[in-house]
Amino acid sequence: MAMRLSGLMSGMDTESIVQQLVEARSKKVTTVKNSQTKLGWKQEIWKGLNSKLKTLQSKLQDLRFSSGYTKKVTKTSNENAVSVITGDNAVNGVQELEIKQMAKTAYMTGGVVELKEGTTGAAVSNDTIMGNLMDFDEGEVKCLKVEVGSGDSAKTTGIELTRTTTISDVLTQLKNAGVNANFDATQKRFYISGKESGEAGNFEIKGARKIVTEETVNVNGVDQIVSRVEYADGPDNGVLDILGLSVGKETDGDTTTDKGGKATMIKGQNARITLNGVEYTNTHNTFEINGLTITAHGAANGEKITLTTQQDTDGIYDKIKDFLKTYNEVINELDKLYNADAAKGYEPLSDEEKSSMSDTEAEKYEQKIKDSLLRRDSNVSQISSALKKIMMSSYTINGKNLSLANFGIETLDYFSAPDNERNAYHIYGDKDDTNFADKTDKLKAMIASDPDTVVSFFSQLTQNLYTEMNKQSKAVEGYRSFGSFYDDKKMKSDYDDYKSKIKDEEKKLADYEDKWYAKFAAMETAMAKMQQNASAVTALLGGGQ
């Protein structure tokens, strides 16, 4: 900022005079800035309102179809033994279930692994090498093989052990073979389980011998010798016993046998149930049958469990109640914004004005402005009126003309309803609504007696609401984006235009200030010249002698 020395000849406080002139003119800048601030606040209010409208629209997306209400539930006579998830396509009725057998995962608890005689000063751990557990001839490789699954899907993998192979290496090979494996150094045991439950996860660890065969294969016209490795059943040279992996006690279903080894083995088994006399098996305890997802939690010892599938009346009721709650929040907000008190004479506070007030006072002052920004807004009125009209309409269902009142859903009377809540709907008998809790619950009664009529009515109502909201939020070139209920594009454009207007007004103000300083400077210069001339004339006339 340039330094100005003024009033030297005139003795006038030109600085103060210019600032007063500029202050009067600066109101134009303040007016434009205030308009931009209020538009920014208006954008934020619309964003919040738009979010609530989109939430309502999202709920209508499903409710406009009968499938949005079709909820079924299945009750069981023994909830400890079985739980059921009911799909929309499940058949209503009573079925008989018997849990024959629960699925199990194959599990081996190995015997204790000990160091060989003569090995001292070390404990068995993941780092222990095979040479500390058993004897190896020079270069000797001892083999095991792991068979996972059965039949055509069975997988066989060989495990090769040398004197320097560690227990950690064995674990890695076991995992690569398709089982879960761990070694507990404290217990000095291997713990191995199938990766899948049921019979498909069964596994067997055997002694094996490595067979390498070679054959000539022609590759791109060139004969090449290819080695093939197989692992055939063979003696384990005591490896299984040393590692504690030879099976001793084996449990398969209800039968337990002793095979003389060190490990305890539980064989995997499939779950088995009968539903309406038909047997089903699965590798795990969950069955999906004709719209029901049945999960067994325990064999019921021959108990006949009844499964009763029926329409979930509470589910339909909750869907309608939730819809009305969301609608009420939207319509109450629209009414509140439209009917807000005016804030005539209120303008955004300057930094200087804010500094003279407490934070609470400043917030309260500006909130009054924000609350009034959508007062009597035509867009708010248009949306609100359209929604209210649809909610008050009647719809023909099976030849009968029905409205919300026929289902015990009404608004409060004008004088008892709180301000801006006169268009909110309440359900007779709703225990969460103090105004209607003591009335007969007509909606629940109708859902129980005639759910199809209830669903048909609300499907039509919500379809019309959804169509109208799509119409209200369609894109308008240059004004609004798709899915917006207000002119978001136009508001953003106007907000950006204010930046240019503010810049222009600030330049005009600066030019205006410079103009006045220039005028006063010229006056000072003229007065200085006049004084010089006067002094010269006085000197010529002999003044001062």
Side-chain angles (χ1 to χ4, degrees):
M1 180 181 290
M3 180 180 291
R4 294 186 173 99
L5 297 175
S6 57
L8 296 177
M9 298 303 300
S10 66
M12 296 172 61
D13 186 1
T14 55
E15 183 78 23
S16 178
I17 294 170
V18 172
Q19 290 307 313
Q20 289 181 45
L21 290 168
V22 170
E23 184 177 354
R25 187 67 176 262
S26 67
K27 290 182 179 178
K28 288 187 176 181
V29 178
T30 302
T31 298
V32 179
K33 285 184 174 179
N34 286 346
S35 296
Q36 185 192 43
T37 298
K38 287 192 284 188
L39 180 58
W41 288 345
K42 191 173 183 178
Q43 285 177 297
E44 290 304 312
I45 294 168
W46 262 115
K47 285 178 182 177
L49 180 58
N50 198 75
S51 178
K52 291 181 179 180
L53 288 163
K54 293 296 289 182
T55 297
L56 174 60
Q57 190 177 24
S58 178
K59 289 184 184 293
L60 299 174
Q61 175 88 23
D62 293 330
L63 296 178
R64 60 201 178 105
F65 302 112
S66 59
S67 58
Y69 303 84
T70 306
K71 291 192 65 177
K72 295 184 179 183
V73 64
T74 299
K75 297 179 180 179
T76 79
S77 60
N78 187 340
E79 294 180 354
N80 293 324
V82 64
S83 60
V84 182
I85 297 174
T86 311
D88 295 339
N89 61 331
V91 178
N92 289 353
V94 179
Q95 303 182 68
E96 185 177 85
L97 169 73
E98 186 176 352
I99 301 172
K100 297 286 191 179
Q101 178 175 284
M102 296 291 292
K104 290 181 182 178
T105 300
Y107 198 97
M108 174 185 282
T109 302
V112 174
V113 178
E114 301 284 4
L115 296 171
K116 69 181 181 180
E117 289 185 15
T119 303
T120 59
V124 180
S125 68
N126 283 1
D127 295 328
T128 299
I129 61 174
M130 293 298 106
N132 287 338
L133 302 177
M134 66 189 80
D135 294 323
F136 283 82
D137 294 332
E138 184 66 28
E140 182 182 8
V141 176
K142 298 181 180 181
C143 301
L144 300 174
K145 71 174 182 178
V146 181
E147 295 179 353
V148 179
S150 60
D152 295 337
S153 61
K155 174 187 175 184
T156 298
T157 305
I159 294 178
E160 297 185 6
L161 308 175
T162 68
R163 186 177 61 80
T164 58
T165 301
T166 64
I167 288 180
S168 180
D169 295 332
V170 175
L171 290 173
T172 299
Q173 293 189 70
L174 285 169
K175 291 173 184 177
N176 291 339
V179 294
N180 298 314
N182 186 45
F183 183 80
D184 187 330
T186 301
Q187 300 298 327
K188 297 192 289 188
R189 297 173 187 266
F190 282 92
Y191 295 88
I192 306 171
S193 66
K195 285 191 174 180
E196 297 180 39
S197 62
E199 295 175 5
N202 273 328
F203 61 89
E204 188 174 0
I205 303 175
K206 300 178 179 180
R209 52 192 176 86
K210 183 177 180 181
I211 301 174
V212 180
T213 57
E214 294 182 347
E215 62 179 291
T216 302
V217 178
N218 187 281
V219 179
N220 297 324
V222 179
D223 289 340
Q224 295 184 5
I225 297 175
V226 177
S227 297
R228 300 189 184 279
V229 178
E230 294 179 297
Y231 294 91
D233 289 351
D236 62 22
N237 296 318
V239 176
L240 288 175
D241 272 345
I242 293 295
L243 296 179
L245 300 180
S246 56
V247 177
K249 186 183 295 182
E250 181 179 84
T251 301
D252 188 355
D254 295 328
T255 303
T256 299
T257 57
D258 193 339
K259 296 188 173 183
K262 294 183 177 181
T264 299
M265 181 76 186
I266 297 175
K267 301 285 283 186
Q269 66 180 27
N270 292 338
R272 287 192 300 117
I273 65 170
T274 59
L275 183 65
N276 303 322
V278 177
E279 183 169 288
Y280 299 87
T281 62
N282 205 353
T283 57
H284 48 80
N285 293 314
T286 298
F287 298 79
E288 294 184 4
I289 304 171
N290 195 28
L292 299 181
T293 301
I294 301 169
T295 300
H297 300 298
N301 299 320
E303 176 187 355
K304 306 292 185 182
I305 301 171
T306 57
L307 308 180
T308 304
T309 302
Q310 58 191 19
Q311 200 74 30
D312 183 9
T313 55
D314 288 338
I316 297 174
Y317 180 89
D318 291 342
K319 287 262 188 178
I320 295 171
K321 181 178 176 178
D322 181 60
F323 152 63
L324 291 174
K325 178 184 177 183
T326 305
Y327 172 82
N328 289 344
E329 289 173 354
V330 169
I331 209 67
N332 290 346
E333 182 74 5
L334 289 167
D335 286 347
K336 175 186 174 183
L337 293 169
Y338 186 79
N339 297 325
D341 293 333
K344 188 175 182 180
Y346 283 73
E347 292 294 336
L349 296 169
S350 65
D351 292 339
E352 184 178 352
E353 289 170 327
K354 284 184 179 180
S355 65
S356 66
M357 305 169 68
S358 69
D359 291 343
T360 302
E361 289 173 334
E363 184 179 349
K364 185 176 180 181
Y365 180 95
E366 292 192 335
Q367 189 60 49
K368 183 173 179 62
I369 303 174
K370 294 176 182 179
D371 290 342
S372 69
L373 290 175
L374 294 187
R375 170 183 164 81
R376 301 296 183 261
D377 185 276
S378 60
N379 198 13
V380 170
S381 176
Q382 179 178 313
I383 297 170
S384 177
S385 297
L387 298 182
K388 290 172 185 175
K389 181 179 178 181
I390 292 171
M391 292 293 284
M392 290 187 291
S393 299
S394 297
Y395 301 90
T396 302
I397 310 295
N398 297 327
K400 294 181 180 179
N401 214 30
L402 301 175
S403 67
L404 285 170
N406 293 107
F407 299 89
I409 301 173
E410 296 182 358
T411 59
L412 287 169
D413 66 78
Y414 185 86
F415 295 102
S416 62
D419 290 344
N420 301 315
E421 293 185 20
R422 295 188 174 96
N423 296 293
Y425 284 91
H426 303 260
I427 303 173
Y428 281 17
D430 181 1
K431 302 304 179 185
D432 298 324
D433 191 332
T434 55
N435 295 290
F436 285 79
D438 59 345
K439 296 182 180 293
T440 302
D441 199 328
K442 294 174 65 176
L443 177 59
K444 276 191 175 180
M446 290 191 70
I447 292 174
S449 63
D450 190 1
D452 290 342
T453 294
V454 177
V455 170
S456 294
F457 174 84
F458 280 95
S459 295
Q460 284 195 41
L461 171 66
T462 52
Q463 175 64 66
N464 286 356
L465 281 172
Y466 185 80
T467 301
E468 180 60 35
M469 294 188 80
N470 275 351
K471 176 182 174 183
Q472 296 283 347
S473 59
K474 67 181 181 181
V476 179
E477 187 174 356
Y479 279 81
R480 66 175 58 181
S481 309
F482 174 77
S484 175
F485 289 87
Y486 70 105
D487 295 337
D488 57 324
K489 287 187 175 180
K490 182 66 167 59
M491 282 189 182
K492 184 180 185 305
S493 174
D494 290 346
Y495 187 87
D496 292 339
D497 286 344
Y498 275 122
K499 295 178 183 178
S500 299
K501 290 178 182 178
I502 291 171
K503 189 175 181 179
D504 290 343
E505 289 297 332
E506 287 178 335
K507 185 177 185 307
K508 289 178 183 178
L509 184 62
D511 292 344
Y512 182 74
E513 182 180 21
D514 290 342
K515 181 186 74 173
W516 278 107
Y517 273 117
K519 284 185 177 182
F520 278 110
M523 181 188 74
E524 294 287 337
T525 300
M527 291 180 70
K529 287 182 179 180
M530 287 177 62
Q531 187 173 5
Q532 271 185 329
N533 291 338
S535 297
V537 171
T538 300
L540 289 172
L541 296 175
Q545 294 182 358

